[in-house]
Amino acid sequence: YLQKVKDQGTLVVGTSADYPPYEFTVKQNGETKYVGLDMEIAQKFADNLGVKLVVKNMNFDSLLVALETHKVDMVISGMNPTPERQQSVDFSKVYYSGDQYMLINKKDLARFKTIKSFKNKTI
Ligand code: ARG
């Protein structure tokens, strides 16, 4: 399949560009650009293969069908490898596991002890 991508000279990647910071759009002189963490990874894949990246934007729910029917070569879309999805497609290793945090200044530690302390407080 890699040879097919090299022969066609493009890596066609499916995404649903509605999920910042993974994939989203920006307008640049009237042109829609696909940007975000996943788009940078996809670009690196294309660069390494020496081919042009082509992004196909679609509904999240259409992505796996597009992959299975070869409308795209690969999907990158912040998609978690659920057991159900794993039955039909082959996921890469997890490249980002989204432990996300909120942070406060250390000096405010005493004011924000639990999630409830955020209620009706001004910073
Ligand atoms: N991580 C969630 C999932 O795998 C949501 C991903 C949504 N991604 C998107 N590009 N809209 O179901």
Side-chain angles (χ1 to χ4, degrees):
Y1 202 79
L2 273 187
Q3 195 54 49
K4 176 207 168 248
V5 169
K6 285 183 187 165
D7 290 347
Q8 70 189 9
T10 55
L11 175 67
V12 184
V13 168
T15 197
S16 174
D18 58 359
Y19 198 54
Y22 300 93
E23 43 269 330
F24 55 107
T25 56
V26 291
K27 279 253 194 275
Q28 211 170 59
N29 4 304
E31 242 184 280
T32 302
K33 276 193 61 177
Y34 300 109
V35 294
L37 166 70
D38 283 348
M39 296 300 98
E40 300 205 11
I41 293 171
Q43 186 62 59
K44 287 262 185 261
F45 272 59
D47 291 348
N48 281 333
L49 291 165
V51 298
K52 191 173 167 304
L53 176 69
V54 174
V55 176
K56 279 204 185 169
N57 190 22
M58 61 189 80
N59 289 332
F60 188 75
D61 291 340
S62 307
L63 287 168
L64 293 189
V65 178
L67 184 62
E68 287 170 285
T69 56
H70 301 282
K71 292 202 172 65
V72 297
D73 299 314
M74 180 180 113
V75 165
I76 185 159
S77 203
M79 192 183 288
N80 302 335
T82 63
E84 197 196 344
R85 290 167 180 163
Q86 277 172 319
Q87 290 192 356
S88 56
V89 295
D90 186 28
F91 280 86
S92 71
K93 284 197 214 145
V94 172
Y95 58 88
Y96 182 81
S97 86
D99 275 359
Q100 286 166 41
Y101 303 88
M102 23 193 279
L103 14 151
I104 58 169
N105 283 306
K106 276 202 171 163
K107 66 173 170 49
D108 294 327
L109 215 50
R111 299 177 64 209
F112 299 105
K113 282 278 183 230
T114 71
I115 196 78
K116 287 205 185 89
S117 4
F118 286 87
K119 206 176 168 199
N120 299 329
K121 280 245 173 85
T122 51
I123 303 292

